[in-house]
Amino acid sequence: MFANRFSKTERPLLIKGAKPVGFGGGFGQTIDVLIDRDGRIAETGSTITTGDDVEIVEANGAFLSPGWTDLHVHVWYGGTDISLRPQQCGAARGVTTMVDAGSAGEANFHGFREFIMEPARENIYAFLNIGSIGLVACNRVSELIDMRSIDIDRTIATVEANRDVIVGLKVRASHVITGGWDLTPVRLAKKLCRILKLPLMVHVGEPPPLYDDVLGLLTEGDIVTHCFNGKAGGSIIEDDDLYRLAEDAAQRGIVLDVGHGGASFSFDVAKAALGRGLPPKTISTDLHNRSLDGAVWDMATTMSKLLSLGMAFEDVVAASTTAPRRAIQLRSDGLLEKGRPAEFTLFDLVDHDLTVKDSQGATSTLHRLFEPRHAILGAEAIVAHRHVPPEGSAGSVHVCPHCGWKS
């Protein structure tokens, strides 16, 4: 699904006694929200009385936010060797909108749209990979070997034919992918984004190219994912010049995105940046089949990590809801107004001790956790909870369910 194209339900839905957060001011107490069978907000108020033919969700004071929006996931299941099914990181985890970050390129986007995006119950959008093959064999067969990997005309044509779901371009700027090609793929991707008038999402990691040089190519609205990575040569706290460049980028309107992933988030880097007044604009997971049961787990756990490192509760909510919506040019205001599509996450903030890891293996104990209860998509309330990896799976190898290959 995309653009909240809900199916009509048999009954309206009433959410009773929820505490709004992330919608702006004006909500000082719990409210009820009535959603009609078409999935649109029919009424909000302190107490709503309805007939018997209504499904009721008792919030009991739980928080109601705009739907959690994960700006960086990989859900081209079957089309790449790294992707998850949308169900593994979507509504069942409180996430109502997912943005796939470059799993598909122009050569295979049509399959991603037909077989994954359109049938999904969640909203799914995509950054199209500048490399034609996308992440078919992620980090084994690079999508950016040389200019033969990029077809400019077909990439432009694919975007133009799918502007309803393609929200930008994605390029991975790391020597693991580009070898000695350095900044050329980023320059090409940025040129295409100017032509298409779309934002560019850049993966930063192991240099070359340098994180420093990448920032110099970006403009307002572009996105740096893995902004708090701890990789040598790519960490913003190991080099004061790079840190100042990151500060300047944020001031210029470049979106600093967490993009946790299996190798791209450091507690030390994030804590230092937050302590110096440089928060991420958006919080995302970079969930894939090698990070799900490793360092990341889910959106709620990632949000809880940022909360534990010093981000304010309201800022964590904004960075996980309205900020990523703005980054992909979706409406982010008036989300509780009558007539608007109902896309919410109902969640608690619970006291619980949980030991987690960052991408470098450093551990930290969280004491307050975001705990999703329902993803609200139209008049459908989908029961949600945090992902808990099977016991003993942390740090274990990933085994392909089809061929048995261990990685």
Side-chain angles (χ1 to χ4, degrees):
M1 180 178 73
F2 57 93
N4 282 324
R5 298 183 176 185
F6 309 124
S7 299
K8 197 179 190 75
T9 58
E10 293 183 2
R11 298 189 296 170
L13 175 69
L14 178 63
I15 304 168
K16 292 188 63 68
K19 190 183 304 180
V21 61
F23 296 99
F27 300 102
Q29 58 184 8
T30 60
I31 63 168
D32 293 354
V33 181
L34 179 64
I35 302 162
D36 66 24
R37 294 173 58 211
D38 292 318
R40 296 188 173 271
I41 299 169
E43 184 181 353
T44 61
S46 56
T47 303
I48 296 176
T49 302
T50 64
D52 295 333
D53 191 29
V54 175
E55 182 180 353
I56 296 176
V57 171
E58 295 285 357
N60 296 317
F63 293 102
L64 184 74
S65 73
W68 291 355
T69 298
D70 195 341
L71 192 63
H72 186 156
V73 296
H74 294 283
V75 291
W76 186 184
Y77 183 78
T80 84
D81 68 349
I82 199 171
S83 293
L84 298 166
R85 294 180 173 89
Q87 303 94 304
Q88 293 175 273
C89 43
R93 302 291 172 254
V95 175
T96 58
T97 294
M98 293 173 282
V99 188
D100 186 279
S103 298
E106 54 83 9
N108 51 21
F109 182 80
H110 59 291
F112 181 40
R113 175 171 184 145
E114 180 177 348
F115 300 122
I116 301 295
M117 303 176 86
E118 291 180 353
R121 73 197 309 184
E122 303 89 352
N123 293 295
I124 301 181
Y125 298 93
F127 288 95
L128 185 70
N129 201 308
I130 189 69
S132 291
I133 66 171
L135 305 182
V136 171
C138 186
N139 293 2
R140 295 188 293 116
V141 179
S142 172
E143 72 274 21
L144 292 172
I145 296 171
D146 56 32
M147 197 57 212
R148 292 171 296 178
S149 301
I150 300 173
D151 189 314
I152 292 174
D153 292 337
R154 287 177 62 97
T155 296
I156 291 174
T158 299
V159 172
E160 295 294 4
N162 296 277
R163 279 191 176 270
D164 50 353
V165 290
I166 293 177
V167 296
L169 298 182
K170 169 74 180 295
V171 61
R172 295 202 293 165
S174 171
H175 80 78
V176 174
I177 294 95
T178 60
W181 208 10
D182 202 34
L183 278 172
T184 301
V186 183
R187 292 183 186 278
L188 284 169
K190 181 58 184 173
K191 179 65 173 180
L192 291 184
C193 284
R194 290 194 193 99
I195 294 169
L196 294 165
K197 297 179 173 53
L198 288 174
L200 175 63
M201 175 184 275
V202 184
H203 155 123
V204 292
E206 305 87 350
L210 294 175
Y211 194 160
D212 319 45
D213 294 337
V214 168
L215 289 175
L217 295 175
L218 304 184
T219 57
E220 182 178 1
D222 291 333
I223 301 160
V224 173
T225 193
H226 312 316
C227 66
F228 294 153
N229 80 81
K231 297 173 182 178
S235 164
I236 62 173
I237 66 168
E238 67 181 3
D239 179 344
D240 283 342
D241 289 342
L242 174 55
Y243 181 83
R244 285 190 288 272
L245 287 172
E247 280 187 317
D248 175 69
Q251 291 167 4
R252 289 190 287 120
I254 294 168
V255 175
L256 299 183
D257 174 58
V258 169
H260 190 310
S264 300
F265 178 74
S266 163
F267 286 138
D268 289 342
V269 175
K271 185 175 182 179
L274 288 167
R276 294 173 66 175
L278 184 63
K281 176 63 74 172
T282 55
I283 296 172
S284 68
T285 61
D286 184 15
L287 270 169
H288 50 75
N289 60 25
R290 301 169 198 169
S291 68
L292 176 67
D293 290 335
V296 181
W297 299 7
D298 61 7
M299 186 69 172
T301 304
T302 305
M303 293 165 68
S304 302
K305 289 178 180 180
L306 273 297
L307 182 70
S308 76
L309 292 170
M311 275 187 80
F313 168 70
E314 293 82 1
D315 293 341
V316 172
V317 172
S320 308
T321 57
T322 52
R325 289 182 65 86
R326 283 193 295 273
I328 58 172
Q329 300 174 28
L330 296 180
R331 181 172 173 178
S332 61
D333 63 335
L335 300 180
L336 261 180
E337 292 177 356
K338 183 177 180 179
R340 291 288 300 156
E343 183 190 347
F344 309 124
T345 301
L346 189 67
F347 68 95
D348 290 308
L349 190 63
V350 300
D351 295 325
H352 182 75
D353 293 341
L354 178 69
T355 300
V356 294
K357 294 182 179 180
D358 67 7
S359 300
Q360 277 65 50
T363 60
S364 179
T365 300
L366 310 179
H367 302 292
R368 303 182 76 199
L369 300 178
F370 285 84
E371 183 64 61
R373 288 180 50 186
H374 288 89
I376 309 297
L377 285 162
E380 184 179 12
I382 300 152
V383 175
H385 56 81
R386 284 186 305 105
H387 174 68
V388 179
E391 190 170 349
S393 66
S396 63
V397 297
H398 168 69
V399 181
C400 176
H402 305 293
C403 69
W405 179 265
K406 296 179 181 180
S407 60

